[in-house]
Amino acid sequence: MLLRKSSRVLDSPGSSSSSLVQPQGMWASSSSSVAQGDAEMGSLPASGVPDVPDLSSSEDGGGSDSGSDFEDTLWKGGKRGSRTPLSHTLTAKRPRKDASRDGGSLAERNQEPSNLFEVVRLAKSAMESVVDDWLESYKQNKEAGFLELVNFFIRSCGCKGVVTPEMFRKQQNSEIIQLLTEQFDEDSAEYPLVLTTQPWRKFQAGFCELVTVLVRRCQYSIIYDEYLMDTLISLLTGLSDSQVRAFRHTSTLAAMKLMTALVRVALGVSLHKDNNQRQYEAERNKGPSRRATDKLEALLEKRRELQEQQEEIENMMNAIFKGVFVHRYRDVVPEIRAICIEEMGNWMQSYSTSFLTDSYLKYIGWTLHDKQREVRLKCLKALQGLYRSREMAARMELFTSRFKGRMVSMVLDKEPDVGVEAVKLLTLILQNMEEMLTDEDCEAVYPVVYASNRALAAAAGEFLYRKQFDLDWEAVKEKERRGGSRDFFRLLLAFFIESELHEHAAYLVDSLWDCAAPLLKDWDGLTHLLLEESPEEAGWGDQQENALIEILVSSMRQATEGKSPVGRGPGKKVLSARERKALEDDREKLTQYLIPLLPQLLAKFSADAEKVALLLTAPRCFNLSLYSSGRLEKYLEQLLAQLREVVEKHTCQEVLEAASQALYVLCNPEFTFYSRVDLARSRLVDTLTDKFQQEVAELLQASYLDEDEVYSMAATLKRISVLHNAHDLTPWQLYEPCSLLLQRAVDTGEVPKQVVIPTMTCLHFSILWDLAHVSGTVPAQKELLALKRKVASFCSLCQSCLTDMDSSVQEQAFVLLSDLLLVFSPQLARGEREALELLVYRPEVALQSQLAGFLMDHVFNHAELMGSDEEDSEGRIERLHQQRNLLAGFCKLILYNVLELSAASDVFKHYAKFYKDYGDIIKETLSRARQIDRDEWARTLLLSLQQGWDQVCLPGASTLRLRVGAPQLALPGGVERILSPPAAPGQETALVLPGADLPDQALPTAEREGLESTPDISPLPEIPG
């Protein structure tokens, strides 16, 4: 009979080869090619099958390795006529119609429901009662009962065909499967095992449970009747050889679950056999007068019966293993391969005596090289179950030595969840087979503690903890007060510094938090370690102290905020009530420890800017109300005194910002000690402003300032500008003197840049605080006009600074202008802020041109981007980061309607040339600009290309960038889709202007290579900042 084939649902012969890399020998190289599968996805010839262990202890069970050829041996005792083997050339099914993803339609297509199938699908009865009811029908009529079970499996494949009693009596298995394949013409390419709706997920669980319960209920008699299990295994083996994926998938799952259930039965029989042997030996060892002959004969008879049962079960397991597993563990469908490996792991754990051998372990080892994530995961999880037991691990020495390299390499798997399981597996090997992992193996895992994936880093952190730090620290601490903490932190510091893997301890602390949190939260021991020992006594240097302080601060943040460091883990995590309670408890404990000690730490390290900046972040982790409720005001006074000393002593930006933030969190009006903190802050600002006013007066009058005077004024202004960011200094009236100072700089150019930059910053924050005042109330017209004049005056001064000789002054002026124009953009008067319409500031054309010109000179400039030859790679990266911020600020002005959309042409025309450095920002700007106004966006693209063509026309210019850039600019939507009818295929590059289509051979060699290495345009992150 000729059958119509459907290439959409059948596995083609070309795809039947596995995606695994399988060795030829038992422990052969795992990089060798796997044997090619036959065209029908059926069994291999006997010579092509790998070594297959035989479970049977007798010769009867050693069937052939060629798929279903062992079927003849299954039909014993004349219960059924001898059936011929299943045909190896299984036919395909008819073409399917368009797939429908409606899971409910599957049941509707089956017009003749099978009772057993419907009962399992509806899941309204306990599976034990369902199996008991079926067993009653089977005992009354074996053939009818078995047919009901057969049709259950057929229906579970999604096939509407039915095996009738006549078909069952007269036809061979191969003929039955062929007829079912012909009838497999359902409307959907889906079948119950691949449907993901809730009812079908329940059915999948019920399907597996039915097979398990069936064997459990039949384990004492019916499975040995030489009919049920033999016929069922024969049918499932034939279905698993089918080209129809639904048949193969469903029958493989059933066969593997059947094998798992039989393994449990075999284990029970083995235990009974051992008990029987012990009873027999005990009875035989009795004296002749006490020995019971009848009991000995009964025990011998029982032993023979158990031996027969064991042999029968081993024959069944051999049939499933050789007929199904050996071929399907390398099936083309990854779900089928995953099922085989998962169940094999269960067999090894349940019945390790028979299955935990190298002959079976090699299948898992080979499959570690599978191309599909799901299969690799199943392999690793199966191995975890084995290595979790020290006894099992001891029997896997040969396997471990053979596949250890692959397991270590999987730590860096492209799929993070596979890497997580690989690290967990190595951790179990470390615990139970520590001698198997060399230092080189461990060093391959250590860098992963700094991975961006939180789960992977935490798994590597546990591995590191078990290898380097896993001691009984509590016992050590009991033996010597704080000795355990001291030793732990010494080891941690040694790893962090000597490994030289990363500069930030916060990521190391986060990785170790899940397994070593109690030790890392020993803040009392940490602070005393810093305070009690001098660097000389402890053998520490400045680097060790810095690292220890960073570990202290990182653990404080982790305990009180529950957040991972930047770049790791989800941005926002919803905490449960229990987690919030734990965070509050840790905050309370931390505050009690650190409030008395923080002033001492600041005093000891007050001269070191890096250490002070870290320590000043501690108050953000405190429960500050304890200062008043715990009567700890004296420590507050000490802290405020140290804050003042730090501000007056340091000029480092990071230190001043940390001090300002610490002062800000303390200046909360809700606290009862607010008046004390506010008084201390006012005294500090009074000192700074008095000094500033005096120095400004001298500068405005003097014609020359020496170096000390310049340094003093710059330091004072820097401190004021940093404080002005977090604190409202409007009462000190800093705007007028700063404005005069900046005007002097613009007019004469005699004011040094060290003074100009903080002066501009002070003016910027002064304007923003004025805006905050008028936004919080109903503003008077006079206040709005005064603020508008300040904005216009400041923008004019910054515009003048854009032409300053010093690039740092220009960049600061550009940043402040970008921010201020964005704040006072048309967005300001939206919503309930119509009263602020008067404050909207629209830049003049000259200012827009200057902003664009600055961008060309400082961002789209190769000389600026590369930096000087003396500049190191870290400096160049920092420089690139600054330039990206400048570009992002300009793009925001365009997107928020501050600048005309046409101004974006100055950015778009550099898309290809600077794609490596700014491609993500420009792409995001392109996408958002298109959403604002498609027509104007299209005109802007054309303008960009026109400007690019003008540059090409210059002498010595190359057409390469235009040829590459035009198609890239057309990718986000295509100008022709807006301005003209759809173009014919191949005309998408019509944007390239005439003369730009030079052949590659006409280009210099470097440019031809550049064409080949044009970066792929893929989705990129949003604009930073």
Side-chain angles (χ1 to χ4, degrees):
M1 179 185 297
L2 287 176
L3 299 177
R4 296 189 291 272
K5 295 185 178 181
S6 170
S7 59
R8 186 166 63 85
V9 296
L10 300 181
D11 296 321
S12 63
S15 65
S16 62
S17 62
S18 174
S19 61
L20 299 175
V21 181
Q22 176 181 335
Q24 296 297 322
M26 178 172 171
W27 303 115
S29 172
S30 46
S31 61
S32 58
S33 60
V34 70
Q36 177 71 25
D38 63 318
E40 289 78 26
M41 287 301 301
S43 56
L44 292 172
S47 60
V49 177
D51 298 335
V52 180
D54 195 342
L55 288 170
S56 176
S57 58
S58 65
E59 296 180 358
D60 293 338
S64 171
D65 290 352
S66 57
S68 53
D69 288 343
F70 65 87
E71 184 180 347
D72 287 332
T73 65
L74 295 176
W75 297 92
K76 304 175 184 177
K79 297 285 182 82
R80 293 283 306 269
S82 176
R83 300 172 68 101
T84 58
L86 286 171
S87 172
H88 288 292
T89 309
L90 297 180
T91 52
K93 61 181 182 181
R94 295 175 181 171
R96 295 174 176 168
K97 301 178 182 178
D98 292 337
S100 168
R101 303 195 68 84
D102 181 12
S105 63
L106 188 63
E108 296 172 4
R109 293 193 298 269
N110 297 276
Q111 299 298 325
E112 299 179 4
S114 165
N115 290 337
L116 187 56
F117 177 84
E118 293 299 332
V119 168
V120 174
R121 184 178 70 85
L122 296 175
K124 293 183 178 179
S125 304
M127 194 57 65
E128 285 78 6
S129 62
V130 172
V131 172
D132 289 343
D133 292 342
W134 178 84
L135 284 175
E136 289 298 325
S137 65
Y138 176 79
K139 291 174 181 178
Q140 296 174 8
N141 188 331
K142 286 188 177 182
E143 183 176 285
F146 182 76
L147 275 180
E148 185 178 6
L149 185 62
V150 168
N151 285 318
F152 165 76
F153 287 117
I154 299 301
R155 287 287 305 280
S156 299
C157 297
C159 178
K160 70 179 183 180
V162 176
V163 179
T164 63
E166 184 179 0
M167 293 169 58
F168 188 69
R169 295 191 193 99
K170 297 181 179 180
Q171 294 180 339
Q172 301 298 320
N173 277 351
S174 59
E175 297 172 341
I176 293 175
I177 295 174
Q178 180 175 333
L179 288 176
L180 292 174
T181 302
E182 291 177 339
Q183 298 172 9
F184 208 122
D185 59 350
E186 76 290 350
D187 298 332
S188 172
E190 295 177 338
Y191 49 97
L193 291 189
V194 298
L195 296 174
T196 57
T197 56
Q198 183 65 23
W200 289 113
R201 285 202 298 269
K202 289 183 178 180
F203 172 80
Q204 294 158 16
F207 178 88
C208 299
E209 186 182 3
L210 174 72
V211 176
T212 303
V213 173
L214 176 64
V215 175
R216 187 169 69 241
R217 292 293 196 191
C218 302
Q219 63 178 317
Y220 298 112
S221 58
I222 295 180
I223 63 171
Y224 307 111
D225 68 357
E226 299 182 349
Y227 179 82
L228 173 64
M229 298 306 296
D230 296 347
T231 315
L232 180 59
I233 292 172
S234 175
L235 176 69
L236 293 178
T237 303
L239 287 172
S240 70
D241 281 342
S242 173
Q243 279 188 318
V244 181
R245 181 172 303 192
F247 281 159
R248 204 166 66 251
H249 188 179
T250 307
S251 61
T252 301
L253 176 62
M256 294 298 99
K257 291 296 180 182
L258 184 64
M259 177 79 163
T260 302
L262 287 173
V263 166
R264 295 193 182 102
V265 174
L267 178 61
V269 171
S270 177
L271 293 176
H272 285 310
K273 188 178 176 183
D274 292 342
N275 290 336
N276 176 270
Q277 182 66 27
R278 285 194 297 271
Q279 292 174 0
Y280 178 80
E281 294 294 336
E283 188 67 26
R284 193 179 63 175
N285 291 334
K286 292 179 180 179
S289 60
R290 299 178 56 195
R291 185 183 303 162
T293 307
D294 295 343
K295 187 175 181 180
L296 282 176
E297 292 178 356
L299 289 172
L300 281 173
E301 181 64 26
K302 181 66 175 177
R303 184 168 63 177
R304 284 193 292 269
E305 179 183 348
L306 291 172
Q307 180 67 29
E308 291 176 0
Q309 290 179 356
Q310 186 177 34
E311 291 176 358
E312 287 194 47
I313 294 174
E314 287 176 350
N315 287 338
M316 297 175 198
M317 293 192 296
N318 264 324
I320 297 175
F321 186 83
K322 295 179 181 180
V324 180
F325 178 89
V326 167
H327 307 299
R328 297 283 71 81
Y329 90 95
R330 51 197 175 94
D331 194 280
V332 70
V333 180
E335 290 84 356
I336 296 178
R337 302 199 298 272
I339 289 171
C340 293
I341 296 301
E342 181 180 17
E343 294 305 318
M344 172 167 273
N346 293 333
W347 309 339
M348 292 177 177
Q349 292 183 56
S350 300
Y351 198 4
S352 60
T353 305
S354 294
F355 286 96
L356 191 59
T357 63
D358 296 329
S359 300
Y360 291 100
L361 283 169
K362 64 184 179 182
Y363 293 103
I364 297 181
W366 291 338
T367 317
L368 287 171
H369 296 267
D370 198 279
K371 294 179 181 178
Q372 295 297 321
R373 160 191 166 275
E374 179 184 358
V375 184
R376 297 197 301 275
L377 273 176
K378 294 298 183 183
C379 288
L380 292 171
K381 290 183 177 179
L383 291 174
Q384 287 174 15
L386 302 177
Y387 282 106
R388 193 168 283 115
S389 167
R390 187 176 292 271
E391 295 179 1
M392 290 187 184
R395 297 165 57 186
M396 299 172 65
E397 185 174 351
L398 179 59
F399 172 84
T400 307
S401 62
R402 171 63 187 83
F403 291 102
K404 181 185 66 175
R406 174 57 183 162
M407 290 186 281
V408 172
S409 68
M410 292 178 76
V411 169
L412 301 178
D413 195 277
K414 65 178 182 179
E415 300 290 346
D417 50 350
V418 176
V420 170
E421 299 303 326
V423 176
K424 290 180 178 178
L425 175 61
L426 292 176
T427 305
L428 291 172
I429 295 176
L430 181 68
Q431 290 176 336
N432 297 319
M433 301 180 69
E434 184 175 2
E435 67 283 354
M436 295 299 297
L437 292 180
T438 64
D439 292 341
E440 184 179 357
D441 297 330
C442 296
E443 288 169 2
V445 182
Y446 294 159
V448 184
V449 297
Y450 297 107
S452 58
N453 184 278
R454 174 64 169 75
L456 181 58
E462 183 177 0
F463 179 90
L464 171 64
Y465 178 77
R466 301 295 178 196
K467 178 64 178 177
Q468 298 285 353
F469 314 132
D470 192 9
L471 299 175
D472 189 358
W473 299 112
E474 294 300 326
V476 175
K477 287 176 69 177
E478 288 295 329
K479 186 176 179 181
E480 179 186 356
R481 185 173 180 267
R482 299 196 186 99
S485 297
R486 183 178 291 107
D487 293 340
F488 169 74
F489 288 118
R490 284 182 185 277
L491 291 172
L492 186 60
L493 282 175
F495 171 79
F496 176 64
I497 295 173
E498 294 173 8
S499 63
E500 297 181 349
L501 295 172
H502 207 278
E503 295 181 356
H504 301 291
Y507 295 90
L508 178 59
V509 170
D510 183 52
S511 300
L512 292 170
W513 193 256
D514 293 346
C515 56
L519 287 168
L520 291 168
K521 288 192 290 187
D522 186 10
W523 300 299
D524 187 31
L526 254 174
T527 50
H528 282 86
L529 201 61
L530 285 166
L531 289 171
E532 289 181 356
E533 298 188 10
S534 64
E536 294 77 14
E537 295 173 354
W540 293 352
D542 187 63
Q543 188 180 16
Q544 283 79 4
E545 285 186 337
N546 281 341
L548 194 58
I549 291 175
E550 189 173 357
I551 290 172
L552 168 64
V553 173
S554 300
S555 67
M556 290 163 52
R557 290 177 178 170
Q558 193 80 24
T560 57
E561 298 176 3
K563 297 178 183 177
S564 297
V566 176
R568 176 184 285 180
K572 290 185 178 180
K573 178 184 176 182
V574 179
L575 300 176
S576 65
R578 184 176 181 180
E579 290 173 330
R580 290 195 298 271
K581 179 66 166 56
L583 292 180
E584 289 303 318
D585 291 344
D586 285 339
R587 186 184 297 272
E588 196 84 9
K589 187 186 301 183
L590 166 70
T591 307
Q592 292 174 353
Y593 282 144
L594 266 292
I595 278 183
L597 299 177
L598 182 58
Q600 300 178 41
L601 290 169
L602 288 172
K604 180 176 180 179
F605 301 107
S606 61
D608 192 310
E610 185 177 354
K611 297 171 186 172
V612 168
L614 287 170
L615 290 172
L616 285 175
T617 61
R620 302 182 216 173
C621 304
F622 287 177
N623 179 7
L624 296 174
S625 60
L626 279 182
Y627 274 114
S628 54
S629 61
R631 298 183 179 180
L632 303 172
E633 288 87 351
K634 66 176 182 178
Y635 299 114
L636 177 62
E637 296 291 346
Q638 295 175 11
L639 177 59
L640 293 174
Q642 288 298 326
L643 278 173
R644 179 178 181 125
E645 183 180 344
V646 166
V647 172
E648 292 176 346
K649 181 182 295 186
H650 291 274
T651 58
C652 176
Q653 184 80 12
E654 290 76 14
V655 176
L656 294 176
E657 287 178 354
S660 178
Q661 286 293 326
L663 198 57
Y664 175 78
V665 298
L666 291 170
C667 288
N668 190 336
E670 296 180 359
F671 295 140
T672 56
F673 54 79
Y674 169 72
S675 57
R676 294 188 181 191
V677 182
D678 185 48
L679 180 60
R681 177 179 60 179
S682 300
R683 288 175 176 173
L684 174 61
V685 177
D686 284 341
T687 303
L688 294 175
T689 52
D690 290 345
K691 187 176 181 181
F692 169 65
Q693 295 285 3
Q694 181 182 354
E695 292 171 339
V696 166
E698 293 177 359
L699 186 145
L700 294 177
Q701 294 175 5
S703 58
Y704 172 76
L705 289 177
D706 60 26
E707 188 175 342
D708 292 340
E709 292 174 329
V710 170
Y711 176 80
S712 177
M713 171 164 264
T716 303
L717 269 171
K718 191 172 185 179
R719 295 182 180 109
I720 292 175
S721 64
V722 172
L723 286 172
H724 211 347
N725 185 6
H727 304 271
D728 184 9
L729 305 186
T730 305
W732 282 268
Q733 299 178 356
L734 295 170
Y735 182 84
E736 288 302 327
C738 288
S739 180
L740 292 174
L741 187 58
L742 186 57
Q743 187 67 53
R744 171 74 176 270
V746 170
D747 293 342
T748 65
E750 297 175 355
V751 181
K753 67 175 183 179
Q754 300 95 317
V755 176
V756 173
I757 293 176
T759 301
M760 287 192 295
T761 307
C762 281
L763 287 170
H764 175 72
F765 289 129
S766 179
I767 291 174
L768 293 182
W769 279 110
D770 286 345
L771 176 61
H773 294 156
V774 300
S775 300
T777 59
V778 179
Q781 190 77 1
K782 182 178 179 181
E783 294 177 343
L784 294 178
L785 290 174
L787 180 54
K788 187 174 182 66
R789 284 193 295 270
K790 287 183 179 181
V791 173
S793 173
F794 179 70
C795 289
S796 176
L797 291 172
C798 286
Q799 183 179 354
S800 301
C801 291
L802 288 175
T803 60
D804 193 277
M805 294 298 293
D806 188 84
S807 61
S808 59
V809 174
Q810 294 179 16
E811 289 186 8
Q812 183 70 0
F814 182 87
V815 170
L816 296 179
L817 265 175
S818 301
D819 290 347
L820 206 63
L821 290 174
L822 195 62
V823 171
F824 289 91
S825 68
Q827 311 284 336
L828 180 65
R830 291 189 179 179
E832 300 179 356
R833 301 191 297 259
E834 296 87 353
L836 302 180
E837 177 68 33
L838 185 62
L839 295 179
V840 174
Y841 184 82
R842 301 184 183 277
E844 298 178 353
V845 176
L847 177 55
Q848 297 187 36
S849 301
Q850 277 189 268
L851 291 173
F854 174 87
L855 211 64
M856 300 305 106
D857 296 337
H858 292 263
V859 177
F860 298 115
N861 186 321
H862 269 301
E864 284 278 339
L865 191 61
M866 297 304 296
S868 62
D869 295 337
E870 295 80 12
E871 192 174 17
D872 58 6
S873 59
E874 186 175 347
R876 291 181 181 180
I877 292 173
E878 182 63 27
R879 181 65 186 156
L880 176 60
H881 179 68
Q882 293 173 359
Q883 290 169 328
R884 286 173 58 85
N885 284 337
L886 296 175
L887 177 59
F890 184 82
C891 291
K892 286 180 181 179
L893 294 178
I894 296 171
L895 298 178
Y896 283 93
N897 200 26
V898 177
L899 303 179
E900 296 292 337
L901 194 56
S902 59
S905 63
D906 294 322
V907 176
F908 296 162
K909 68 183 181 183
H910 295 97
Y911 191 21
K913 186 175 181 180
F914 291 91
Y915 179 81
K916 180 181 178 182
D917 302 311
Y918 313 127
D920 54 342
I921 299 176
I922 300 177
K923 185 178 178 68
E924 184 67 20
T925 306
L926 270 168
S927 176
R928 295 197 183 187
R930 183 169 180 260
Q931 298 173 14
I932 295 172
D933 189 337
R934 290 196 174 194
D935 292 341
E936 187 63 27
W937 171 79
R939 295 187 188 95
T940 303
L941 289 187
L942 292 175
L943 179 60
S944 302
L945 294 174
Q946 182 180 359
Q947 293 173 351
W949 174 248
D950 292 342
Q951 294 178 0
V952 167
C953 293
L954 297 175
S958 169
T959 62
L960 174 63
R961 295 298 179 187
L962 187 62
R963 294 180 61 194
V964 174
Q968 289 180 342
L969 288 176
L971 281 178
V975 177
E976 74 283 350
R977 299 186 185 180
I978 301 171
L979 303 181
S980 62
Q987 295 182 357
E988 288 79 0
T989 57
L991 293 172
V992 182
L993 303 180
D997 54 349
L998 298 177
D1000 289 350
Q1001 291 74 12
L1003 297 173
T1005 304
E1007 294 189 352
R1008 290 203 302 273
E1009 293 175 355
L1011 267 176
E1012 297 172 0
S1013 61
T1014 301
D1016 181 29
I1017 307 300
S1018 56
L1020 289 161
E1022 296 185 358
I1023 297 175

